[in-house]
Each structure stands twice: as structure tokens, then as C-alpha cells.
Amino acid sequence: DNDLVEIRRSGEHLLRLINDILDLARVEAGRLELNSAALPLTPLLDEMLRTAQGLLKDRPVLLRREITGALPAVLADEVRVRQVLLNLVSNACKFTRVGEVAVGARVEGDEVVIWVRDTGIGIAEADQLRIFNQFEQVESHDTRHHTGTGLGLSICRWLVELHGGR
């Protein structure tokens, strides 16, 4: 039974790697098209909080919902926005052992600002721009326990920019 669980986990990991590389290739080739429609943000953010709850399991981490006021629907590709948020929430949960993970949003002028914040290991200021480049990862004792490709945040950046965001 443990062997089957490990085989499945490894297969899912390989699938994520392949999908990340395919997304990266499509973005770089200008072949990634958005299927934009009116996207209500509050239900999507609430879904991310439920996902975070499952990822955190029994760790002593408080989940915070930081949504200020009513959020408008935005013109966006729901699958791609979900992909960005899921990556950010997964990273926050992966690197937060104690403390809190917050998902939030607010309207600022004609923009909606969305964030995922955590009290995990953090990223040194010198590394904060670099981590959005392809295949970049920050090395620390805690990150060695978590494998990744260093593509997640660069894909997130491209998807956000493809939507006209930053």
C-alpha cells in the first residue's frame, strides 16, 4: 500500500513538472491564450483558503481571510488565475511550520490587489526579484526538504503579466 502511495505521489510530481515546462514553452512562444470571462474573486479566494486548510493538515498554523470590502468580478482566465493562486498558497503552506498563512484582496482604484502572506522561512530581500526567474530557487536548510523546479513563480509572473497585471 505504501508503495502504491509513493508511486502515485511520484507520478503526480512528474506530471506537475511536465505541465510547468509545457506552460513555460507556451508562454515563451506566445502560444498561451487566455480564456477570459467575468471571474468572481471572493469564491475563488475562499476556495484557496479551503485548499490551504487541507495542505496545512494539523500544523499549528492560523489561516487568515483578509478580504476588505466587496470585490468586483474581474476579466480573467479562471484556470490560470487559479493556477497562480494555488502555486502561491502551496508555497506558503509548504514553508510555514507555525504562525499563519493569509489570503487577501482589496480594491485600489481601478485595480484589485490580491496577496498570499505567510510567517514561514521568508525570502531574503536580495533574492526577492531573482525568485521570479526561471529555474531559480532560494537555498536554505528548510528548502532542501522540498523539491521543486524553480519554475512555479516565473510561470505565475508570466500569467499575471499576460492578464495585464503585475
Side-chain angles (χ1 to χ4, degrees), residues 35-41 72-78:
N35 296 312
S36 295
L39 174 61
L41 290 173
V74 295
L75 187 61
D77 184 321
E78 182 175 354

Side-chain angles (χ1 to χ4, degrees), residues 45 66-68 85 88 102-106 113-117:
L45 295 172
E66 299 179 341
I67 299 175
T68 306
L85 290 172
L88 297 176
V103 176
R106 70 176 174 272
V113 178
I114 299 173
W115 63 88
V116 176
R117 185 176 45 75

